[in-house]
Amino acid sequence: MRIATWNVNSVKARLPHLRGYLREEAPDIVLLQETKVVDEAFPALEIEELGYNVAVHGQKTYNGVAILAKRPIEDVVRGLDGDAADGQARYMEGTVGTVRVASIYLPNGNPVGTDKFAYKLSWMARLRDRVKELLEEEETCVLGGDYNACPADIDVYDPPAFADDALCRPETRNLFRSLVFLGLTDAVRAFHPEPGVYSYWDYQRGAWPKDHGLRIDHLLLTPPAADRLRAADVDRRPRGREKASDHTPVWCEIEE
DNA sequence: ATGGTAGGAAGCCTA
């Protein structure tokens, strides 16, 4: 089965592109981020008519995640434990067949030195706590999303320019590494160790035509899922279209 | 050249 993750930067603005992607690529599961819509206003019918089930966790204006799947989505959990006061819609889980998936929109954290950066780091620690539980349960789990973290300099078109950015700071990379070192496999990295495998290009300064990208969208797999991993890659095509999201889909193939 | 663009909201914030 193929599982994709895509930060669509508004599901309403991207609905024609999203529908085209579902029709042409037809992944079994799609994890969405930055849907930017309350649950009641999510365009569920337009997606269901293409043969997908829909589970959503949204809010007004900002954030918002969703899971789309051809098969039923069961045992949906919304939100991340560890901070009862956190009202931002950035995390959800669901089970599709034998695979538990999570759709993750990790805080950006810029500018560094503000409460936004502190929120990012504490959010990453909460995610790590949740991943520990999933590993202890020996779940076949695919954690996909916009991690707002470049794991290494090879994931950045201009490392010196991003040295002090929240996406590349040592604190961010240390927490990302501590997450992966629990025993997760970075699916795209496993198949593409080379530099320049980007998933995001800024709207500004002609970043896309100049290939000034970052790799910040990831699929992290628990060992039972990694055992079944057969392929993974970035699909650059959607980023090149008119009215594109600034992110492009990342996918992996898991043996049934 | 401390800029630039996109989206949603509402006359700015987030990215």
Side-chain angles (χ1 to χ4, degrees), chain A residues 7 42 62 77-78 84 87 119-120 153-154 174 189 193 212 245:
Chain A
N7 178 325
F42 192 95
Y62 303 118
V77 171
R78 295 171 178 83
Y119 174 66
K120 174 180 196 155
D153 275 353
I154 59 169
N174 288 344
R189 176 59 82 226
H212 286 179
S245 169

Side-chain angles (χ1 to χ4, degrees), chain A residues 1-7 21-22 24-33 52 68 101-102 142-147 185-192 194 197-201 215-221 225 228-239 247-255:
Chain A
M1 72 162 75
R2 202 145 29 92
I3 302 173
T5 181
W6 191 7
N7 178 325
Y21 179 72
L22 296 177
E24 289 160 27
E25 300 300 327
D28 298 280
I29 303 172
V30 182
L31 310 169
L32 300 179
Q33 300 85 37
Y52 283 86
L68 318 180
V101 294
V142 175
L143 303 139
D146 176 0
Y147 283 75
T185 295
D186 177 342
V188 169
R189 176 59 82 226
F191 283 90
H192 299 282
E194 70 273 18
V197 184
Y198 306 137
S199 66
Y200 162 86
W201 297 259
R215 192 174 75 96
I216 56 177
D217 301 271
H218 310 296
L219 291 158
L220 302 185
L221 278 57
R228 293 158 58 185
L229 179 62
R230 294 294 172 263
D233 208 346
V234 175
D235 183 354
R236 287 186 166 230
R237 289 170 298 178
R239 183 62 182 87
H247 297 249
T248 210
V250 170
W251 59 270
C252 70
E253 180 81 34
I254 304 288
E255 193 166 282

Side-chain angles (χ1 to χ4, degrees), chain A residues 104-120:
Chain A
I104 294 169
Y105 180 45
L106 208 144
N108 176 294
N110 277 308
V112 171
T114 65
D115 54 350
K116 290 184 180 179
F117 191 57
Y119 174 66
K120 174 180 196 155

